[in-house]
Amino acid sequence: MIMHLFRRTPRAASIASFYGMIVAQARAPVFYQDYGVPDTVNGRFEMVVLHAVMVLDRLTAGPEPLRAVGQAIFDLFCRDMDANLREMGVGDLAVPRTMRKIGEAFYGRQGAYRAALAAPDRQALTEVLARNVFAGASGAAPGADRLAAYMREAVGHLAAQDATALSRAELGFPDPARIAAPDFAAAGHGER
């Protein structure tokens, strides 16, 4: 009778697979080796949040079944963050407070990324990424332009993906290794 509570449903396996793809993309070595994202707990957290925000925004823009998938992925993200905190040795009494900070960080990044992606000035996204993802890097964040170009391409790539395929956890991201930092002056954009 109680065993049904512990069985993994096909939907749960699909959600876990979906979330696993988000985390795998966020951990792609190219981001840390070529883009210059700090290879730290915070740098990796920022990349998971960045990818989760893009995917969740795509899912919430879709029909109800996709929005439900998005909610399930966000719930799994929260459980994963909770488990990671405990694994890193954060005490039981501090976990809720830290999870509240993680939630605030997630929603703050989500709002900032949405606004920057919608801004007519392409530099807005670069600045938001430099501030959030590259915060620990010394000096200017040279990879922020490239990460902004990747993010714009990934958002377009996700928008073009079929809703039915997404509901089956068929997710694809562009290859970050083939995306170069934009040359605004050469492209005739003038000032950034």
Side-chain angles (χ1 to χ4, degrees):
M1 180 102 143
I2 196 166
M3 292 309 291
H4 78 280
L5 297 173
F6 298 103
R7 270 190 238 131
R8 285 184 58 123
T9 65
R11 183 169 186 259
S14 178
I15 297 301
S17 174
F18 213 132
Y19 181 67
M21 287 183 263
I22 292 168
V23 172
Q25 184 71 9
R27 291 184 176 170
V30 67
F31 290 121
Y32 306 94
Q33 295 168 355
D34 297 347
Y35 283 56
V37 172
D39 194 2
T40 62
V41 171
N42 285 341
R44 288 176 180 259
F45 168 77
E46 291 293 345
M47 291 304 291
V48 170
V49 168
L50 181 143
H51 284 87
V53 163
M54 290 189 298
V55 170
L56 293 177
D57 280 355
R58 168 59 179 99
L59 295 173
T60 58
E64 176 50 39
L66 284 186
R67 290 193 295 273
V69 169
Q71 183 61 55
I73 290 170
F74 180 75
D75 294 345
L76 183 53
F77 165 80
C78 292
R79 288 193 305 273
D80 184 42
M81 292 298 113
D82 183 281
N84 283 315
L85 289 172
R86 293 174 192 280
E87 189 176 299
M88 291 185 319
V90 176
D92 288 341
L93 295 176
V95 168
R97 181 179 56 242
T98 307
M99 283 301 298
R100 187 171 45 254
K101 289 179 182 176
I102 287 173
E104 290 169 357
F106 181 89
Y107 287 117
R109 303 305 189 270
Q110 185 178 46
Y113 294 150
R114 281 179 179 166
L117 284 164
D121 177 13
R122 296 184 67 85
Q123 185 64 17
L125 183 58
T126 298
E127 291 171 2
V128 168
L129 291 170
R131 182 174 61 246
N132 291 319
V133 177
F134 297 91
S138 58
D145 275 338
R146 188 173 181 192
L147 188 56
Y150 165 79
M151 193 172 180
R152 287 189 184 283
E153 185 162 331
V155 166
H157 192 80
L158 289 166
Q161 290 181 33
D162 179 61
T164 305
L166 284 172
S167 68
R168 292 189 308 259
E170 294 173 12
L171 176 65
F173 291 101
D175 178 5
R178 68 167 188 72
I179 296 173
D183 184 359
F184 292 98
H189 294 285
E191 287 198 25
R192 295 189 274 176

